[in-house]
Amino acid sequence: MNRKLTTCFIATLMFFGVSMKAENKKLRPVDYVNPFIGTTNFGTTNPGAVMPNGLMSVVPFNVMGSNDNKYDKDARWWSTPYEYHNVFFTGFSHVNLSGVGCPDVGSLLLMPTTGELNVDYKQYGSTYKNEVAHPGYYSNTLTKYGIKTEVTADKRSSIARFTFPQGESHILLNLGEGLTNESGAFIRRISDNEFEGMKVLGTFCYNPQAVFPIYFYMKVNKQPKRSGYWKKQRLMSGVEAEWDKDNGKYKLYTEYKREIAGDDIGVFIDFDTQQNEEVEVLMGVSFVSMENARLNAEKELAQTTFDSLRLRAEEAWNNDLSKILVEGGSEDQKTVFYTALYHTLIHPNILQDVNGQYPTLERGDIAAVSNGDRYTVFSLWDTYRNVHQLLTLVYPVRQQHMLQSMLAMYDEHGWLPKWELYGRETYTMEGDPSIPVIVDSWLKGLRGFDINKAYEAMRKGATTPGPQNKLRPDNDDYMKLGYVPLREQYDNSVSHALEYYIADNALSRLAKALGKDSDAKLFYNRSLGYKHYYSKEYGTFRPILPSGKFYSPFNPLQGENFEPNPGFHEGNAWNYTFYVPHDIKGLTQLMGGSKAFVDKLQMVFDKGYYDPANEPDIAYPHLFSYFKGEEWRTQKEIKRLLNTYFKNAPDGIPGNDDTGTMSAWAVFNMIGFYPDCPGEPAYTLTTPVFDKVTIKLSKEQWGTDQLVITSKRSDKEAYRINNITVGGKQYKSYRISHKDLINARNIHFDVK
């Protein structure tokens, strides 16, 4: 078969080695984005159409249906609607997640077909070619039908444009399939070309409590020949012959039926099309009601054409991406950088409808925003490390609204979010990750939210006994012992406690800033409890049994391939042993001094124990810079990791992007600094990839309008920083406070 031709302007031209010299047009940041980066190697990004932080996304769905390709499996096996190597397309899914490692919520599958009507996705699916992806736009050609498909999106709505051949043509909306384990749905016909309804979503990350409805409104821009519903029939014992007689496994309902509900249902709309006739489908979504889904589509798409909406999305992306301008570096490096920045601006997403309404967290009622945007999709165990630091620095108003959203969730639910999704709390992953997000922003100077309420909420999570503590279910042991013992073989006890230490250190910093000295001391002392886990025998952290003895037998490498591992979540002891960013000095003493620490950390890289796709150890390379004379190791490892794992290719992210976390790691390190200690308003400096980086800052927020970072290299392979000037003055440290960073206006690196 003719493999996909990805023509995403600059980025995909580079895939195939096409020279850029013939392109005289000055390129914009948006032109460098390659949405196919991260779409394989478990990156779980997708090339679909989406606005910056928009609720709606429209993604090609190719992970179910065909047994003809080794990559195709049942959809519920996948955590993403799209995998680069897959070839079997069964429609466009609406409202999706980017970079997650759990089953996605992709649903509302919209599919064009031709010929005799067939509503079985395993039969109506098609291979495709001529893929094109650009921020806010995706297109392909279905080889089975000769149909060109195109999609673009606004914040809560979308338009699909299908170019049909001559003959009998169909548009299908399949509500029975998708990545969710839930199959229940409801559809109501408004007219022959308008439908509204609801689809049940749920069990994200295998959590049965996270079940919720998504509402939709769909309108086709032309009058069809006919339209109706289908329902997949349930096989009943003893009636196989009768069951097979009635249109195979499906029952069709036409004009006389106004609405339908149940499992595995869908809409079909039929046309007699002329050659190259275009039919457009407008879609609105809401997590409040069908009425709001319709209102979203009507307000956002009024007097809007497909092409004007595509340009609107592109311009929105270019405006956001232009907040950071880079010069120098290779074309591939610019593509990697701007695609990474693009990925960091997909989540969190706005949740409120155009009328301001949104579903409250875990209460089931409806509220309305009074100020700013209400956000959702808080994958905080991932994003507390760097995504929110990037938003605070470059997009502070957006981050301010996210913090307001988190505090509103506390008002609604009684707890800060952990992994919130469309008004439900999934409780995925561990720790108390809201704390470092809030503290980091406030200590850097971001305001516009109630810090006293925030402190109340954070202190509640830190001090409420378990198991009624929804954020720290093992808080009794933690508060009493200073650590969490291994009570069940795979309870992730060490991982839990290490997260609590980081959160408590951040809370201690805030308590001190607010004049709460006794709390500051309490939480600071708690944050040092990691020392209980250090095993001198192995030189790593090690689970502790309820008896107080270390777990045995113990293998520090168990878990390196994500197999179950006592005490540790998604990793091994080496991925967690340096995971004490708030007390490197104390950890150094435990390990026997600076030389022992540096040697052991270097060994982690030399022996391949470092996992570039695992959040707990992603800051490891920066730890060398805490030791005078060893900073070059940070610069060397960052250069190697960027060159090895971040590429202008479908496998160009080392693993799950985790709603932008891996991409944020690349963004920061490519421009020359990284926030390696969440909750501390400071960064580690490292070698920029580019000759010049201009960060456009909010003067209202930061008192200055830009930060310019320049570097001069002795040759293109140079990576060791020889000299740093900050604000025109010699700078001796490789760590810099947030205040000094934004006040510098310019930072220069001499690199040899």
Side-chain angles (χ1 to χ4, degrees), residues 470-486:
K470 294 184 179 294
L471 298 175
R472 305 188 187 194
D474 37 23
N475 211 28
D476 286 347
D477 282 334
Y478 178 75
M479 292 191 295
K480 179 181 178 180
L481 303 173
Y483 61 89
V484 179
L486 182 74

Side-chain angles (χ1 to χ4, degrees), residues 441-472:
S441 293
W442 196 84
L443 291 181
K444 286 174 178 173
L446 197 65
R447 298 295 186 263
F449 62 98
D450 188 341
I451 192 60
N452 293 313
K453 179 187 289 186
Y455 188 82
E456 168 195 297
M458 292 185 285
R459 196 180 192 283
K460 178 182 178 180
T463 60
T464 299
Q468 64 264 39
N469 191 323
K470 294 184 179 294
L471 298 175
R472 305 188 187 194

Side-chain angles (χ1 to χ4, degrees), residues 5 37 66 132 140 154 174 218 239 242 255 276 299 381 385 390 411 452 532 572 575 608 622 647 673 694 714:
L5 176 60
I37 290 177
S66 170
V132 177
N140 67 22
D154 208 314
N174 189 329
M218 179 180 72
V239 295
E242 185 67 26
E255 292 82 10
N276 294 324
K299 292 291 186 181
W381 182 84
R385 305 161 200 274
L390 181 64
D411 287 337
N452 293 313
H532 291 287
N572 61 47
N575 301 138
H622 307 89
K647 300 170 290 185
F673 57 96
T694 303
S714 58

Side-chain angles (χ1 to χ4, degrees), residues 282-525:
L282 285 65
M283 184 80 76
V285 293
S286 167
F287 285 92
V288 172
S289 67
M290 291 183 288
E291 293 78 12
N292 278 15
R294 179 173 186 160
L295 184 64
N296 289 339
E298 289 177 343
K299 292 291 186 181
E300 291 186 346
L301 304 179
Q303 298 179 334
T304 298
T305 67
F306 181 94
D307 292 323
S308 66
L309 179 56
R310 175 185 176 180
L311 290 174
R312 185 194 306 169
E314 182 180 274
E315 189 62 28
W317 277 113
N318 195 58
N319 288 340
D320 271 2
L321 297 172
S322 296
K323 296 291 186 182
I324 306 180
L325 300 176
V326 300
E327 301 174 40
S330 69
E331 298 301 303
D332 271 346
Q333 287 172 325
K334 289 175 182 175
T335 297
V336 168
F337 175 79
Y338 279 115
T339 305
L341 186 57
Y342 165 82
H343 284 145
T344 66
L345 296 173
I346 293 177
H347 300 300
N349 312 98
I350 61 165
L351 180 61
Q352 84 274 9
D353 295 321
V354 292
N355 61 8
Q357 293 182 332
Y358 64 89
T360 58
L361 179 60
E362 290 294 317
R363 278 200 335 211
D365 58 351
I366 304 303
V369 294
S370 57
N371 181 34
D373 289 317
R374 169 65 176 236
Y375 281 90
T376 185
V377 188
F378 283 95
S379 178
L380 293 171
W381 182 84
D382 307 296
T383 58
Y384 87 79
R385 305 161 200 274
N386 53 32
V387 172
H388 288 284
Q389 288 86 332
L390 181 64
L391 294 171
T392 297
L393 177 66
V394 187
Y395 310 92
V397 173
R398 219 165 296 184
Q399 173 69 1
Q400 182 186 78
H401 293 169
M402 291 176 191
L403 296 173
Q404 292 171 350
S405 297
M406 292 165 68
L407 292 183
M409 291 176 192
Y410 170 67
D411 287 337
E412 296 157 6
H413 181 47
W415 302 92
L416 288 169
K418 190 169 190 173
W419 212 125
E420 179 272 346
L421 182 68
Y422 307 126
R424 299 306 304 266
E425 178 56 72
T426 70
Y427 297 111
T428 301
M429 302 306 291
E430 51 264 319
D432 199 347
S434 288
I435 291 179
V437 172
I438 296 170
V439 172
D440 194 277
S441 293
W442 196 84
L443 291 181
K444 286 174 178 173
L446 197 65
R447 298 295 186 263
F449 62 98
D450 188 341
I451 192 60
N452 293 313
K453 179 187 289 186
Y455 188 82
E456 168 195 297
M458 292 185 285
R459 196 180 192 283
K460 178 182 178 180
T463 60
T464 299
Q468 64 264 39
N469 191 323
K470 294 184 179 294
L471 298 175
R472 305 188 187 194
D474 37 23
N475 211 28
D476 286 347
D477 282 334
Y478 178 75
M479 292 191 295
K480 179 181 178 180
L481 303 173
Y483 61 89
V484 179
L486 182 74
R487 295 193 178 276
E488 298 179 11
Q489 188 174 14
Y490 302 122
D491 63 5
N492 305 325
S493 56
V494 184
S495 298
H496 283 208
L498 291 173
E499 294 288 350
Y500 300 159
Y501 299 138
I502 292 171
D504 280 349
N505 179 265
L507 190 52
S508 172
R509 293 174 189 269
L510 180 60
K512 183 176 181 180
L514 295 177
K516 302 177 185 296
D517 293 340
S518 60
D519 274 4
K521 182 177 180 181
L522 168 68
F523 295 124
Y524 174 74
N525 288 337

